[in-house]
Amino acid sequence: MEPKHRHSPSAEAIAEEEQASGAGPIARLLGRMFRPLHRLKRLPFWAYLVVLGPGVVSAAAGNDAGGIATYAQSGATYGYGLLWAMVVVTICLVLVQEMCARMGAVTGKGLSDLIREQFGASWAMLAVLVLLIANAGVTISEFVGIAAAADLFGIPGWLAVPPIALVVWWLVTSGSYRTVEKVFMLMSLVFFTYIIAAFLAKPDWGQVGTAIVQPKIDLAPVALQALVALIGTTITPYMQLFVQSTVVEKGVTLSDYKYTRFDTVFGVIIANIVSAFIIIATAATLFVHGSTNVNSAADAAKALEPVAGQGATILFGLGLFGASMLAAGVLPLATAFSVTEALGFEKGVNLSFREAPVFMGLFTVLLVLGALVAMIPGLPLFAVLIGVQILNGALLPILLIFIVRLASNRDIMGQYAIGPVYRVLAWGAVVLITIAVLLMFGTSLFH
Amino acid sequence: MLNSAKFDLEPFERREGEMVVTKDLWDRQIIDVRQRRVLRVNDVLIEQTPGNKTREWRIAGVDVSLAGLARRLKLGKLAGMIRPGASQPPVVNWRDLDIFGTSMAGGVGLKHDKLARMHPVEIARITDAVSYHQGAEIISALDDTLAADTLEEIDADRQIDIVMQMPDERAADIIEEMAPDEATDLMSELSDEKAGALLEEMDDEEAEDVRQLLRYPEHTAGRAMTTDFVSVRPSMTVAEVIDQNKQHFLTADLIYYMYVTDSEESNQLLGVITVRDLLLNERDVKVADFMVTEFLSVRPGEHEREVARKMAEYNLLALPVVTRNNEMLGVITVDDALDSLLPEGWKKRIPRIFS
C-alpha cells in the first residue's frame, strides 16, 4: 500500500490554486484567442495547406455587417462598376497586412506599442484617437448589424440589442466567448452562398471581366463616397491591429514567419474574392432589375433569392447576426487592448476589473456606445453601416503612414525592413487611398 | 561644464553605460519590480540631491500615470484635473525599476539583483507581457538557476522563442539547471538541429538524462517523468539516508518519497519510504524495517492521463516509473501528471488571423 499523504491535493484545492494563480478573465480569454501553434510550425509546408481551411474560414468571416452592406450597396448602385477597385484594394490590403504581420514577427510588439516607442507620446495619442474613433464606429456598425438582423426576424432593434449587448459583455468577461464564437463563425459562412448566388443569377461574365480590368472612375461625390466606403470596409484599421497582435500573441518569430505570411496573404485574397462575389451577385440580381438602392437588410437579402428563394431573408439574417456577433465581442476587446498598450497600462496579464480599470472601462464603454446608438429608433441602419465605412476609409491614411514608416525603419526592422520596391508599392497604396479620400472631401465640399 | 571657458562643440554621442532620457526612457517599457508589472514611462522625475553642495541632479523615478502623459502632451491643465488613481501609484521609484537595454547602445540594461527580487512565476508572467526579444533579455539577465526556474514557468511556445534568441552556450547552461522532464519537453519542441546543438553544449550527465527521456513518445509516463529522485538502499539506516542525501534533498524535485532499490547497477525497485518515516523512526533503524513494499507503479509507455487518474484515485504525490523487469527509471510527480488533465483542444492550434 502506498503511504497516504495528508496534503495530497484534492480537486477543490487544485481548482482553488488555479483561481488564485491564474490570470484574470480577460487575460485568459486573450490567451485562448491567440493560442500559439508551435506544433504546426514544425510540420512540412503541405501539411500546413491541409489545415489552412480554418484560417481561410475566419478570413471570410471577417466580412462583417458593414462589409456586407457596403458591397451590396456598391453592387446594387454601380453594378460591376467598382469591381476594378476591389482588385486594387486587395493588392493594397495584402501589402498592408503583410507589413503588420511582419512587424509583429520581427519585433514581437503590437502596432500601437511600436508607434509609441518610435514616434513618441503625441503621435501615439493621434494614432490612439484614430483607432478609437474608427473602432467605435465599427463597434456601432456591428450592433446596427445585430439590430438589422433582428429586424429581419420581426423583432424591433431596441428590444433585441440591450440583452444581446449584455450577453456579449458577459461572454467576453467570463471567458466563454471562445466557445460560442465558433457558432457565430459557422453562421457567417452563409455569405459564401453569395458565390453560388452570383453564378445562379447568370451575370454577363464578359461585362464582369471588363469591369475587373478596366478602371472606371466616377467623380460624382456619391460615387467617391462609395469608393472610400469600399476601401474603408476592406482595409479596416482594426484588421491591422488585429493581425499584428495575433502574430505577436501566437509567438510567431522570424523562423516560422513564412507560414504566417502565406496564411495572411491567402486569407486576404479569399476574403476579398467572397466580397467581390457579393458585388457580382447584387449587381446581377438588383442592379440589372433597376432596384439600385439597398436601404435595408431585406433589400440586401434579395440577392440571395436565386439560392434560397423564400428562405433568402432567413439565410441572410442568420449570416448577418453571426458576422455581427463575431466582431461585436472581439473588436472592443482588441481596441481596449491596443489603446492600453499605447498608454502603457497593464495589459494581457493578470487583468481583472479592479486591476485594470482603463482596459475594462474602455471595453465596456465601447460596447455600451455601440448598443446605444443601434437602439436609436428610426435609425437608417444601412446608411449608418455605410457611413461608418466612409469614416474608416477617411481615417485610414493616417494609420497607413505610420505602418509604412515603421515597416521601412531599419532601427526597428533590421534587415527585415521592407525593400525599395516594396516601399514604392506601399507608398503608392497610401497615396492612392489618400487621393481617393481627398477627392471625396473635395467634391463633397463643392457640391 | 558650463563654468569652464571652453565649450565642447563635439556632437553628442552616447558613451557606454549612458542613456538619453528622451530616447531611452520616455515612452519605453520598464519593469516595476516592487509591484511586479510592466509599465510605460510617461515622464521622468528629476530632483536635486538633497544636502549636496555640488548641486547634482538625479532621476528620482518615472511617472507612469495618465497625468504624466497629459504633461508630456503639454496639456498641463488636464494633468491637474486627473487625480491619481487609488489602485495605481503614479510614480515608480528609481530604486524599484529595471530598464530594458534592447534599445540602447551602451551597457545599460536589466540588472539581475533587481529582477531577482521577484519570484520565478512573477518573472515568467512579465516575460509573457513583453516582446520575445525582451523576454530573452530578462532570462539572460538572471543567474542560471533562477533563469531555469523562470523558464520552467513559461509556456512552451514562449520558451522556444526565448531559447532561440539566446546563444547556444548560455541556453545550454540554463537548460542544464532545469528539471530533466521540463528540459526534455522544451527540447522536444525545438527543431532537431537546435536541440542537437544544445545537447552538444550541455554537460554529459544532464544531456544523457534528456536523451533518455526523449526516447519515449509524447504524453507517456516515460516522457513526463523526472530522473531526479532520491534513491536509497534497504540496508541503510535512517541516519545514513539523511546524511548521504543532504545535498540531494536541496535540489531534487520531490523528496517526500524516497525509493528503495537493491543496487546502483540492477536498480530493482524494492520499496518506498517517506520523509515522515525518517522523522518518526529512530536514527539507527534500517530502511528495510519500515519501507512499504506494496506500492503502485506505472510503465514508461503508459499514457499520462492514465497516470493522472491513478494519482487522483489513490491521492498520491508521485508514482515510480518502472520497466517490466521492475527496474526503476524515474518518478512522475503530480504537477507533471496534472498538465495532461488540463484541456488542450486541437482547435487551439489552428491559425486565426482575421477572426
Side-chain angles (χ1 to χ4, degrees):
Chain A
M1 211 200 75
E2 186 83 26
K4 219 172 167 183
H5 190 247
R6 190 184 290 272
H7 299 293
S8 297
S10 64
E12 294 92 310
I14 293 165
E16 211 171 65
E17 184 171 329
E18 274 210 303
Q19 288 249 301
S21 69
I26 297 299
R28 258 178 312 194
L29 175 74
L30 282 169
R32 248 173 286 169
M33 259 167 45
F34 307 115
R35 214 46 228 176
L37 355 126
H38 56 281
R39 261 152 254 266
L40 212 53
K41 285 179 201 166
R42 295 179 297 141
L43 294 175
F45 198 67
W46 60 265
Y48 196 78
L49 282 178
V50 176
V51 288
L52 190 72
V56 175
V57 167
S58 51
N63 272 335
D64 62 350
I68 307 300
T70 311
Y71 300 130
Q73 173 78 58
S74 152
T77 315
Y78 302 100
Y80 311 124
L82 281 173
L83 277 179
W84 66 270
M86 272 315 286
V87 178
V88 180
V89 170
T90 303
I91 295 169
C92 295
L93 183 58
V94 165
L95 293 175
V96 173
Q97 294 292 93
E98 200 277 334
M99 280 189 281
C100 288
R102 189 195 291 219
M103 282 193 278
V106 173
T107 64
K109 286 175 178 252
L111 187 57
S112 44
D113 200 334
L114 287 180
I115 293 177
R116 175 80 194 260
E117 295 198 344
Q118 200 56 33
F119 301 104
S122 320
W123 288 110
M125 289 311 109
L126 174 71
V128 160
L129 202 66
V130 166
L131 284 174
L132 266 179
I133 296 171
N135 291 0
V138 183
T139 307
I140 290 172
S141 79
E142 304 307 343
F143 279 100
V144 168
I146 291 169
D151 234 17
L152 285 180
F153 296 110
I155 308 163
W158 58 264
L159 196 67
V161 167
I164 287 174
L166 266 178
V167 168
V168 169
W169 191 89
W170 176 79
L171 283 176
V172 171
T173 50
S174 69
S176 24
Y177 189 75
R178 194 75 174 101
T179 332
V180 289
E181 200 190 44
K182 286 166 205 110
V183 180
F184 302 144
M185 198 133 112
L186 273 178
M187 288 165 84
S188 65
L189 289 188
V190 161
F191 295 128
F192 267 108
T193 53
Y194 269 109
I195 300 180
I196 308 167
F199 279 97
L200 290 179
K202 300 204 174 62
D204 183 336
W205 290 108
Q207 272 183 32
V208 172
T210 323
I212 287 174
V213 293
Q214 212 174 64
K216 211 169 65 185
I217 298 167
D218 187 345
L219 285 180
V222 195
L224 284 168
Q225 280 169 18
L227 180 65
V228 172
L230 193 78
I231 296 169
T233 196
T234 315
I235 317 181
T236 325
Y238 86 81
M239 283 173 76
Q240 280 86 68
L241 279 190
F242 210 72
V243 77
Q244 189 161 342
S245 43
T246 312
V247 165
V248 171
E249 295 298 325
K250 278 201 308 193
V252 174
T253 59
L254 282 165
S255 48
D256 40 354
Y257 175 61
K258 57 180 175 180
Y259 303 118
T260 304
R261 163 152 53 195
F262 184 80
D263 197 33
T264 309
V265 173
F266 202 64
V268 164
I269 292 172
I270 293 289
N272 286 7
I273 286 176
V274 175
S275 309
F277 272 103
I278 297 177
I279 297 179
I280 297 172
T282 44
T285 48
L286 304 180
F287 177 74
V288 295
H289 296 115
S291 48
T292 57
N293 211 352
V294 176
N295 288 320
S296 69
D299 292 343
K302 281 196 191 107
L304 283 180
E305 271 171 11
V307 184
Q310 294 294 307
T313 312
I314 296 172
L315 199 61
F316 184 84
L318 281 179
L320 189 61
F321 183 74
S324 305
M325 287 295 276
L326 197 59
V330 176
L331 190 57
L333 192 68
T335 311
F337 198 74
S338 184
V339 170
T340 321
E341 183 178 83
L343 293 177
F345 294 124
E346 276 183 293
K347 51 149 186 139
V349 270
N350 234 3
L351 293 175
S352 75
F353 225 128
R354 208 169 3 137
E355 287 165 319
V358 178
F359 183 92
M360 287 302 290
L362 258 173
F363 169 71
T364 309
V365 164
L366 282 169
L367 210 63
V368 169
L369 178 76
L372 280 182
V373 174
M375 281 166 63
I376 297 172
L379 190 73
L381 299 183
F382 259 52
V384 172
L385 285 182
I386 293 163
V388 165
Q389 309 314 318
I390 297 176
L391 181 70
N392 266 334
L395 290 171
L396 190 61
I398 302 175
L399 213 56
L400 289 187
I401 291 170
F402 281 123
I403 291 172
V404 182
R405 287 199 55 182
L406 285 171
S408 38
N409 185 329
R410 284 189 162 262
D411 285 346
I412 305 169
M413 301 291 287
Q415 54 169 311
Y416 302 97
I418 57 173
V421 180
Y422 199 143
R423 215 157 24 196
V424 168
L425 286 174
W427 281 118
V430 175
V431 169
L432 274 181
I433 293 167
T434 312
I435 288 175
V437 171
L438 291 179
L439 269 178
M440 178 193 76
F441 279 128
T443 53
S444 301
L445 276 180
F446 289 108
H447 271 263
Chain B
M1 213 202 301
L2 285 177
N3 44 30
S4 76
K6 229 168 60 181
F7 272 120
D8 184 3
L9 290 176
E10 292 282 304
F12 173 75
E13 239 179 70
R14 182 165 33 198
R15 282 168 298 192
E16 187 154 317
E18 285 182 345
M19 57 179 179
V20 182
V21 167
T22 51
K23 260 199 179 133
D24 302 326
L25 271 181
W26 267 6
D27 305 318
R28 300 282 166 187
Q29 285 178 312
I30 52 129
I31 299 174
D32 176 354
V33 290
R34 181 185 284 259
Q35 305 274 332
R36 289 107 171 80
R37 54 190 184 164
V38 181
L39 294 165
R40 204 176 281 286
V41 177
N42 284 333
D43 209 351
V44 176
L45 271 82
I46 298 174
E47 63 172 19
Q48 202 163 18
T49 331
N52 194 325
K53 280 181 191 151
T54 54
R55 316 190 112 223
E56 261 185 349
W57 293 79
R58 58 173 197 143
I59 296 176
V62 300
D63 192 331
V64 295
S65 68
L66 266 181
L69 184 62
R71 244 190 337 268
R72 277 279 305 289
L73 298 170
K74 309 219 164 51
L75 300 167
K77 280 209 182 105
L78 201 65
M81 277 160 59
I82 302 168
R83 273 174 302 170
S87 61
Q88 216 174 30
V91 174
V92 181
N93 196 305
W94 190 250
R95 278 195 308 270
D96 296 329
L97 65 84
D98 217 340
I99 45 177
F100 291 98
T102 337
S103 58
M104 269 165 263
V108 185
L110 294 164
K111 291 204 175 57
H112 166 246
D113 55 327
K114 279 188 183 171
L115 290 174
R117 280 157 62 183
M118 293 185 285
H119 188 275
V121 174
E122 292 162 348
I123 307 176
R125 235 178 253 163
I126 283 180
T127 60
D128 224 31
V130 294
S131 76
Y132 63 94
H133 300 288
Q134 289 167 314
E137 197 193 337
I138 292 175
I139 298 293
S140 304
L142 304 172
D143 70 37
D144 289 351
T145 324
L146 186 55
D149 289 347
T150 306
L151 210 52
E152 284 182 14
E153 301 298 335
I154 298 174
D155 49 76
D157 313 275
R158 226 342 120 112
Q159 277 183 345
I160 295 163
D161 290 348
I162 287 174
V163 167
M164 296 298 282
Q165 293 298 310
M166 285 200 264
D168 286 353
E169 211 185 302
R170 174 81 167 119
D173 285 343
I174 294 170
I175 294 170
E176 274 171 17
E177 297 291 325
M178 289 170 75
D181 53 326
E182 298 274 359
T184 308
D185 281 346
L186 169 57
M187 288 294 199
S188 68
E189 299 289 349
L190 291 168
S191 68
D192 292 349
E193 304 99 281
K194 184 74 180 179
L198 289 177
L199 283 170
E200 224 24 63
E201 288 284 339
M202 281 166 69
D203 277 354
D204 292 343
E205 199 184 323
E206 274 87 6
E208 195 40 51
D209 280 348
V210 171
R211 284 202 183 94
Q212 203 85 39
L213 294 181
L214 273 172
R215 270 181 223 146
Y216 300 104
E218 250 181 299
H219 303 301
T220 60
R223 176 60 82 74
M225 73 187 181
T226 174
T227 49
D228 187 19
F229 56 90
V230 182
S231 83
V232 297
R233 303 285 98 72
S235 58
M236 288 166 114
T237 62
V238 168
E240 282 171 338
V241 168
I242 296 174
D243 294 341
Q244 291 179 20
N245 287 302
K246 277 244 162 75
Q247 205 50 43
H248 202 181
F249 285 148
L250 210 63
T251 56
D253 286 338
L254 175 104
I255 59 165
Y256 185 72
Y257 297 131
M258 282 151 277
Y259 296 88
V260 189
T261 55
D262 60 348
S263 68
E264 288 281 359
E265 296 76 46
S266 75
N267 215 11
Q268 294 285 306
L269 182 58
L270 304 173
V272 180
I273 61 170
T274 68
V275 168
R276 189 192 306 233
D277 296 330
L278 294 187
L279 293 173
L280 293 180
N281 282 295
E282 296 304 324
R283 290 176 58 82
D284 55 354
V285 180
K286 282 195 157 56
V287 166
D289 296 338
F290 59 82
M291 71 181 187
V292 175
T293 51
E294 295 282 318
F295 49 83
L296 278 178
S297 63
V298 292
R299 299 267 172 282
E302 238 170 290
H303 196 281
E304 269 182 331
R305 252 202 312 274
E306 184 54 24
V307 178
R309 198 192 56 76
K310 275 186 185 164
M311 279 189 186
E313 195 177 336
Y314 292 90
N315 273 337
L316 302 171
L317 283 178
L319 274 171
V321 183
V322 296
T323 63
R324 200 177 304 128
N325 308 320
N326 200 35
E327 191 190 330
M328 178 78 184
L329 294 173
V331 175
I332 178 160
T333 57
V334 70
D335 51 330
D336 294 325
L338 213 68
D339 286 343
S340 67
L341 291 185
L342 301 176
E344 188 195 26
W346 63 274
K347 286 194 168 137
K348 290 177 184 167
R349 296 184 205 125
I350 281 167
R352 304 180 53 99
I353 299 283
F354 294 84
S355 64

